[in-house]
Amino acid sequence: MTPEILDLLFPNKLPTVAEIEAKYPPRQLPEGAVVSRLAPSPTGYLHIGNFYQGFMAERLAHQHNGVFFLRIEDTDQKREIEGAVDVVLKALAHYGVHPDEGSTLDKGEVGVYAPYTQSKRKDIYQAYAKELVAKGAAYPCFCSEEDVEMRRKVQTKQGLRPGYYGSYAKCRNLTDEEILANLKAGKPFCIRLRSTGDYSKRIVVDDLLKGKVSLPEYDIDVVIIKANDGLPTYHFAHLIDDHLMGTTHVIRGEDWLPSVPLHIQLFNLMGWPLPQYGHHALLQKLGEDGKRRKISKRLDPEANIAYFAEHGYPQDAVLEYLMNLMNASFEDWRKANPTIPVMDFPMDIHKISNTAGALFDMVKLNSIAREVVARMTAEEVYDKVLTWAKEYKPEFATVLENNRDKCIAIFNIERGIGTKSRKDLFKWEDAEHEMEFFFNRPAYDESLLAPLAHEDIQKVAAEFAAIYDPADDNQAWFAKVKQVAEQNGFATDMKAYKADPSGFKGSVADVAKILRVAITGRVQSPDLCSIMKILGKDEVAERLKING
Ligand code: GLU
């Protein structure tokens, strides 16, 4: 390739490859340190699968003396959305998955390998592409998108493997004169790799998560620099960036697995050591038809990681759930270490789920969330509910702020008593409803007490109100419930009741139910004795006045 052509292909003044390499020297890290990254496209949305991948990469790096960085892959400028990087940063910050380098919410980009945003690295990619063209490993292609598409269709029709390869790579062998003529005619061009792969041969790749996988060599002359804007494609950008940024481990979705032979070819072409690739199974859901399918942005609101913050899932619940999906040994570890933070779990990279896609199951997530919340103190719950409410329910936040002690007392009901710790509240959006009756006297609904007779209900409530004392402990409180039961012909001995239900108006459980419905408006509630204490004697008396 003549210097004249090279200058026409790359008219901007570019740094030399040597200059770039000098500017971004290899990292000085301890032996065995892992450098990994999350490299999302800024689409205004962080898919749970991307978050899952970022979390895995972050754990791997931070548990192996390494570095986790965030790279913004915005070379597809058509899809760029304003504020999209902040969406990613906020999601990561919310879960405490902290990149050491890359964009930040308040300090711009940090880290010596900056810029970490691909659209700002155009000259770097161009410099390497120029070098490849100069040595004949890449070439300009003047085929239009329509040409390429048309040829694909013809190949498909003829039963051939579609793609720009071998003799179908029309611009592969253009002469310098032809290239020059095209350039002088102002024809747009992209830069393609001159692939050295042979599709009839296979290579075995040793994937960190999948183990050994056999794949055909890659013979397509892929585009490395795009025609419209001179920006690189993913394949080329990740090659250059992961080399310069010293990535040792590329953790990404298994949809990239078929591209690994291409990526190996690219690294070999440059003479650079390969990163260790690890392709994780994609998160799946059970569809309506009972079949597994990928979690879909279109069908599943929980495909967006923001869903969990909006609904007030505790961060640790989401992290524990994802850790559970990643690593089969997490569950046992959690059982053995119920109080240690999830981030202290020593993730075993060799036990990452990697066969069929990991099934995303909200029921399991909810049950983990219940355990996570059960481990918190009432103050922690209060703080977390308040933080959530400030963002998503400001009026509720005001109630919380104006009634701090009362709210903490409410969250403290049945808390911290081992396995019996209360499990009803597991996501913050439910707190307002759960606490409602503490702040507003509920409407009395006698239908909840059918078939008990109105006069009996009235008497039970009134007699209990007369002897109720908030100073009573649970035992004394329950003795009074029993006393009222006995006074009114309700059984206190469950055996006797079961033997002859018709001999009683009901049992002590019905008496408790009367009190519960009158006090809370519900048939189920946390410990009623504690609830009454928080409401106080006067309010209890008011609620136990059954009219009519
Ligand atoms: N931008 C790519 C994606 O979102 C990154 C893949 C990778 O991590 O290398 O799929």
Side-chain angles (χ1 to χ4, degrees):
M1 188 83 32
T2 65
E4 183 194 5
I5 296 181
L6 275 180
D7 286 344
L8 286 170
L9 290 172
F10 300 95
N12 296 336
K13 177 150 174 42
L14 297 172
T16 66
V17 162
E19 281 163 358
I20 299 170
E21 299 276 337
K23 186 168 172 207
Y24 300 111
R27 293 176 184 272
Q28 299 301 322
L29 289 170
E31 182 72 24
V34 169
V35 179
S36 195
R37 79 295 189 279
L38 175 64
S41 300
T43 56
Y45 174 99
L46 187 64
H47 191 279
I48 179 119
N50 275 96
F51 179 75
Y52 175 69
Q53 164 191 335
F55 182 36
M56 203 188 288
E58 186 269 346
R59 289 292 74 209
L60 201 57
H62 288 158
Q63 289 187 353
H64 294 85
N65 305 311
V67 175
F68 169 63
F69 66 87
L70 176 69
R71 184 169 70 225
I72 300 300
E73 304 215 324
D74 60 346
T75 57
D76 188 356
Q77 303 244 305
K78 276 176 276 178
R79 287 166 52 199
E80 180 111 27
I81 289 172
E82 212 178 317
V85 175
D86 280 7
V87 168
V88 174
L89 290 169
K90 282 190 185 140
L92 294 178
H94 181 71
Y95 290 99
V97 174
H98 293 302
D100 305 300
E101 298 169 6
S103 299
T104 61
L105 281 166
D106 49 357
K107 294 196 285 288
E109 288 199 340
V110 299
V112 294
Y113 294 90
Y116 295 86
T117 303
Q118 290 184 332
S119 59
K120 297 186 191 149
R121 301 170 63 80
K122 188 168 167 180
D123 282 1
I124 297 177
Y125 308 118
Q126 292 245 335
Y128 283 96
K130 187 173 179 182
E131 195 187 68
L132 289 183
V133 174
K135 64 181 193 192
Y139 61 87
C141 164
F142 298 91
C143 296
S144 68
E145 271 179 41
E146 295 73 41
D147 285 347
V148 172
E149 195 41 47
M150 206 184 64
R151 247 169 289 132
R152 284 180 74 87
K153 282 196 183 134
V154 174
Q155 285 170 316
T156 311
K157 230 189 196 155
Q158 293 173 348
L160 295 163
R161 183 167 54 91
Y164 206 90
Y165 61 91
S167 57
Y168 304 102
K170 201 171 149 237
C171 295
R172 186 174 237 250
N173 297 314
L174 293 183
T175 61
D176 283 0
E177 290 70 37
E178 287 168 317
I179 293 173
L180 210 50
N182 281 332
L183 289 173
K184 292 211 165 130
K187 278 202 186 173
F189 62 89
C190 65
I191 305 289
R192 285 185 185 271
L193 170 75
R194 188 184 302 279
S195 178
T196 51
D198 176 349
Y199 190 73
S200 65
K201 291 192 186 144
R202 296 185 78 83
I203 57 169
V204 174
V205 297
D206 199 359
D207 190 87
L208 185 66
L209 308 178
K210 299 259 172 221
K212 290 207 175 10
V213 187
S214 162
L215 292 160
E217 284 188 10
Y218 210 88
D219 66 347
I220 298 197
D221 285 0
V222 286
V223 175
I224 57 172
I225 297 285
K226 292 182 288 174
N228 57 343
D229 52 15
L231 283 168
T233 54
Y234 167 75
H235 305 298
F236 196 58
H238 110 283
L239 163 81
I240 305 298
D241 291 346
D242 282 325
H243 160 67
L244 291 176
M245 296 175 181
T247 305
T248 61
H249 288 64
V250 172
I251 305 295
R252 59 187 179 186
E254 66 186 357
D255 38 346
W256 288 113
L257 192 60
S259 307
V260 172
L262 165 65
H263 299 158
I264 293 178
Q265 191 184 133
L266 286 167
F267 273 94
N268 288 344
L269 170 66
M270 307 304 275
W272 295 337
L274 270 170
Q276 170 72 63
Y277 286 103
H279 293 85
H280 67 80
L282 300 182
L283 296 183
Q284 296 183 323
K285 271 202 75 155
L286 273 193
E288 302 286 288
D289 56 1
K291 290 200 187 113
R292 280 167 174 253
R293 59 167 174 76
K294 263 201 297 191
I295 287 197
S296 127
K297 182 171 172 178
R298 194 171 52 81
L299 299 173
D300 310 308
E302 70 272 27
N304 185 350
I305 189 71
Y307 172 92
F308 301 96
E310 281 160 21
H311 290 270
Y313 276 87
Q315 286 95 324
D316 276 359
V318 175
L319 294 178
E320 290 212 4
Y321 178 62
L322 293 179
M323 195 62 103
N324 229 296
L325 284 181
M326 267 178 226
N327 227 302
S329 53
F330 178 75
E331 205 152 354
D332 287 343
W333 178 86
R334 176 46 87 207
K335 273 193 202 118
N337 305 282
T339 54
I340 300 181
V342 55
M343 291 299 199
D344 289 352
F345 168 66
M347 191 171 83
D348 184 345
I349 192 74
H350 299 291
K351 290 212 179 106
I352 290 187
S353 151
N354 56 30
T355 44
L359 209 51
F360 195 86
D361 173 4
M362 290 295 272
V363 176
K364 177 82 181 171
L365 169 62
N366 291 349
S367 92
I368 290 179
R370 285 178 206 279
E371 299 300 328
V372 164
V373 178
R375 286 199 297 269
M376 293 178 184
T377 64
E379 284 81 2
E380 276 175 280
V381 174
Y382 173 82
D383 289 344
K384 289 188 183 285
V385 174
L386 180 58
T387 308
W388 175 85
K390 278 186 180 161
E391 181 150 5
Y392 299 100
K393 252 313 163 65
E395 330 80 73
F396 179 43
T398 309
V399 174
L400 289 160
E401 279 177 317
N402 292 343
N403 298 276
R404 185 172 192 275
D405 292 347
K406 179 171 174 180
C407 291
I408 290 177
I410 294 170
F411 292 131
N412 210 23
I413 297 175
E414 289 178 74
R415 184 157 297 280
I417 41 177
T419 47
K420 293 229 302 277
S421 195
R422 99 185 239 215
K423 303 264 167 68
D424 51 350
L425 181 66
F426 66 95
K427 54 180 172 24
W428 314 137
E429 71 172 354
D430 298 337
E432 188 175 25
H433 172 73
E434 302 232 344
M435 300 165 88
E436 227 260 313
F437 63 81
F438 284 98
F439 294 98
N440 299 306
R441 203 172 285 163
Y444 171 67
D445 177 2
E446 200 159 291
S447 71
L448 297 174
L449 294 170
L452 299 176
H454 179 73
E455 309 74 64
D456 292 331
I457 295 170
Q458 219 173 14
K459 270 185 82 216
V460 161
E463 285 174 24
F464 185 84
I467 53 173
Y468 175 63
D469 179 353
D472 289 340
D473 63 11
N474 266 51
Q475 234 178 340
W477 177 88
F478 191 55
K480 286 182 179 171
V481 176
K482 277 177 152 170
Q483 182 191 327
V484 172
E486 267 157 23
Q487 281 163 201
N488 287 282
F490 288 81
T492 52
D493 174 348
M494 290 312 275
K495 253 200 205 138
Y497 177 63
K498 279 198 186 121
D500 176 21
S502 61
F504 302 92
K505 285 183 182 153
S507 76
V508 69
D510 293 305
V511 172
K513 188 172 172 188
I514 292 171
L515 301 177
R516 192 181 310 279
V517 166
I519 298 286
T520 69
R522 303 174 188 182
V523 288
Q524 273 182 339
S525 78
D527 177 53
L528 192 55
C529 170
S530 310
I531 292 173
M532 288 190 184
K533 274 191 215 276
I534 293 172
L535 290 172
K537 190 168 171 63
D538 293 347
E539 182 60 23
V540 166
E542 267 320 303
R543 294 189 185 195
L544 290 177
K545 270 185 205 153
I546 312 264
N547 301 323

